[in-house]
Amino acid sequence: MNSFAAVWIVPSDSQHVFLGLRYFVDDNDELAASELKKSAEHDPTSRRLLAAVCDDENRLGEAMPLAKSAVQLAPDDSDAHYQLAHVLASETEWDSSAKELRRALHLGPQNASAAQLLPVILLQSHRDDEAVSSAREAVALAPFNADAHYTLAAALARKADFAKAPGQF
């Protein structure tokens, strides 16, 4: 067998990530986890996505170490911090989750997922003023995102600003 053929026969880490992501989007978490585990040992993207799969299946005992190790392997990856924040939120660790989301937004100011989740977490921890400010930033970042507008309306309603809240629906 020549070496060129061997390249096509042995799947690369990126192929495992692609297949894992595809299975995850198709709601086939078992196959997604199987593919992602093949490259998770040394690939932070695989670890982050595998943490998302475990979080989606409510296997938080597996998700947390994977999300933390993804951040350790790629400390400057906004998406890794977002995934860790998501897992922390699943465990109702609101303050730690908000801290990770702020870090994700510092590293990736255009991370719309982190911008959308932060005001939700702030509302959960009853930090209403921060939630309104953060929700406004999320709407500015993604003005056509209905969830961002809904979160802003919820934050405004929590502060009893009933004049502005309905305009977000």
Side-chain angles (χ1 to χ4, degrees):
M1 165 164 67
N2 65 36
S3 61
F4 183 72
V7 171
W8 291 102
I9 293 170
V10 178
S12 66
D13 286 345
S14 59
Q15 287 172 310
H16 291 300
V17 170
F18 174 78
L19 282 172
L21 189 56
R22 182 172 178 186
Y23 291 137
F24 183 59
V25 169
D26 289 341
D27 285 329
N28 194 335
D29 291 344
E30 188 175 317
L31 282 175
S34 173
E35 276 305 318
L36 292 167
K37 284 178 183 175
K38 294 175 184 174
S39 60
E41 184 176 322
H42 55 278
D43 181 45
T45 302
S46 293
R47 285 188 191 192
R48 175 176 53 82
L49 292 172
L50 188 54
V53 170
C54 292
D55 189 22
D56 189 55
E57 294 181 330
N58 205 26
R59 295 181 355 226
L60 300 177
E62 293 176 60
M64 185 63 74
L66 286 165
K68 284 181 177 180
S69 66
V71 167
Q72 288 175 342
L73 281 175
D76 295 332
D77 183 358
S78 175
D79 291 328
H81 287 276
Y82 166 77
Q83 187 57 52
L84 177 55
H86 199 282
V87 174
L88 287 164
S90 295
E91 294 193 351
T92 65
E93 294 183 28
W94 308 126
D95 291 337
S96 297
S97 179
K99 179 183 171 189
E100 287 300 325
L101 287 167
R102 286 194 170 98
R103 179 74 178 142
L105 288 167
H106 175 75
L107 293 169
Q110 299 301 315
N111 188 333
S113 297
Q116 169 57 37
L117 185 57
L118 181 57
V120 173
I121 298 305
L122 293 171
L123 281 172
Q124 288 292 330
S125 59
H126 303 286
R127 292 156 53 185
D128 299 339
D129 290 331
E130 290 177 74
V132 169
S133 174
S134 179
R136 284 192 171 122
E137 291 173 13
V139 167
L141 182 61
F144 300 108
N145 184 323
D147 290 336
H149 285 277
Y150 177 83
T151 303
L152 177 55
L156 289 167
R158 173 88 64 86
K159 289 191 51 140
D161 192 345
F162 300 116
K164 294 179 184 171
Q168 297 303 315
F169 289 107

